[in-house]
Structure formats: structure tokens, C-alpha cells
């Protein structure tokens, strides 16, 4: 797979419905001054070093 395709939208951990990265468990975040537990947000064209190609 070329580097051009190593994007969140092609990653096994990307949850398109909520634009979330499911690589790790949800974690506490400060969102609009409220503490919540959430998965990190991810965009289809984002990327990171944890990429794993969908099968
Ligand atoms: S490329 Fe990284 S940030 Fe994007 S969905 Fe995969 S693990 Fe998450």
C-alpha cells in the first residue's frame, strides 16, 4: 500500500459513523468545558503511525 493510501479512511480502526479512531479505549477529554469519555476524533483523510490496513 502506498503512503498516499495510508489514511484513516483505509484503516481498520476508523469508525466512519462517528469519525472516531478506535485504536485504543475511550479516554477522558475536556470538551466544551465538560469532562466526557470519548474515542479520539479522526477524519477520513487524517493519518497516524498506528495505521493498520483494512483486510
Ligand atoms: S490511521 Fe491512526 S488515527 Fe487514523 S484511524 Fe488509524 S489508528 Fe486511528
Amino acid at each position: 500500500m502506498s503512503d498516499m493510501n495510508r489514511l484513516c479512511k483505509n484503516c481498520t480502526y476508523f469508525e466512519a459513523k462517528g469519525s472516531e479512531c478506535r485504536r485504543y479505549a475511550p479516554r477522558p477529554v475536556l470538551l466544551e468545558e465538560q469532562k466526557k469519555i470519548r474515542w479520539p476524533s479522526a477524519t477520513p483523510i487524517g493519518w497516524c503511525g498506528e495505521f493498520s490496513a483494512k483486510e
Side-chain angles (χ1 to χ4, degrees), residues 7-8 11 13-14 21-23 42 46-52:
L7 302 174
C8 293
C11 178
Y13 303 118
F14 183 62
C21 174
R22 300 290 183 95
R23 176 68 175 95
W47 64 276
C48 87
E50 300 284 337
F51 176 86
S52 177

Side-chain angles (χ1 to χ4, degrees), residues 4-25:
M4 296 277 296
N5 292 323
R6 296 174 63 85
L7 302 174
C8 293
K9 65 182 180 181
N10 298 323
C11 178
T12 193
Y13 303 118
F14 183 62
E15 173 60 47
K17 184 177 178 185
S19 292
E20 296 167 336
C21 174
R22 300 290 183 95
R23 176 68 175 95
Y24 297 104

